[in-house]
Amino acid sequence: MTARTLLGILPCTALLLFAGPAVAAGGDSFTVFPDLLDDMVAGRSAGPLWQRLIGSEWLHLVVLFAALVFPAKRLLFDPLLGVLDERERRSAGARREAGEASAQADSMQARYESAVAEARQQAEGLRREALDEARREQTRLSAAAREASERRIGELRDTRGRAVSAARAELEQQCAGLARDMAARVLGRPLS
């Protein structure tokens, strides 16, 4: 409820409050302004209408209400409504600031999450690069080791081949020498 609506409701409420004693004084029946209505219903006419109005409680209540409503408005209702309006303004400002702070926090969280995702993506890229580099290095080292071992095996084969050839040649010489010695022993004479 706004302050302006409250200001419109207050005079009506005040009027009903002032009329309340007149209703209570009426007794069994419900009459808002008993002195005027009773005179009119009963057909009593104690003079012209303006004299009856001046002497009635109704006019006294209206005059009293008018005399009190304006000072009460100025001294009581205007400051109260001003406080309520200021409270509403501050509340709206606080809600607006809270909304801005919440939006700013959401924005910061989104930036943080995007930075974390980007850092993870970069780390994953670096990990893949390091893994690929390690695989290339492993392949290169394996190829170099294989080449070195094949070269060594080739060298050993060559060395073995030469050793076998040298051993064959030596064995052939020894065989030839042994065969001559045996033939010489079998024949009992030296072979020339």
Side-chain angles (χ1 to χ4, degrees):
M1 181 178 295
T2 65
R4 301 293 173 218
T5 306
L6 185 63
L7 187 62
I9 293 173
L10 285 176
C12 295
T13 306
L15 181 63
L16 289 175
L17 287 175
F18 284 120
V23 171
D28 313 354
S29 64
F30 177 76
T31 55
V32 178
F33 305 112
D35 58 335
L36 283 179
L37 290 177
D38 286 344
D39 286 345
M40 288 169 69
V41 170
R44 288 179 272 166
S45 128
L49 181 63
W50 65 271
Q51 284 180 347
R52 283 186 285 157
L53 284 176
I54 289 176
S56 78
E57 291 177 19
W58 180 78
L59 184 62
H60 294 149
L61 288 174
V62 170
V63 169
L64 181 63
F65 175 75
L68 291 177
V69 80
F70 296 109
K73 177 188 176 295
R74 187 166 194 195
L75 296 174
L76 180 66
F77 298 128
D78 285 346
L80 177 65
L81 294 175
V83 167
L84 292 175
D85 287 343
E86 178 67 18
R87 179 177 161 200
E88 179 67 27
R89 186 186 62 76
R90 285 185 181 178
S91 296
R95 282 192 297 270
R96 181 181 42 79
E97 288 174 6
E100 289 172 1
S102 176
Q104 193 175 31
D106 290 344
S107 171
M108 289 176 73
Q109 183 176 2
R111 284 193 308 247
Y112 168 76
E113 288 174 357
S114 114
V116 166
E118 185 177 328
R120 282 185 181 149
Q121 193 174 32
Q122 287 176 351
E124 181 64 23
L126 291 174
R127 185 190 67 78
R128 284 186 188 144
E129 285 178 17
L131 187 60
D132 290 345
E133 181 64 30
R135 284 182 182 150
R136 283 191 297 272
E137 183 67 17
Q138 179 186 10
T139 303
R140 186 184 64 75
L141 289 174
S142 296
R146 188 176 313 115
E147 187 179 305
S149 65
E150 286 175 1
R151 191 175 331 114
R152 179 72 177 141
I153 289 171
E155 289 172 1
L156 290 173
R157 283 184 185 154
D158 289 344
T159 303
R160 185 189 63 169
R162 283 191 301 267
V164 166
S165 295
R168 271 191 194 143
E170 188 179 328
L171 283 175
E172 285 177 4
Q173 285 177 359
Q174 287 176 1
C175 281
L178 284 173
R180 261 188 248 143
D181 286 342
M182 286 171 106
R185 282 190 190 170
V186 169
L187 292 176
R189 62 176 179 97
L191 294 175
S192 42

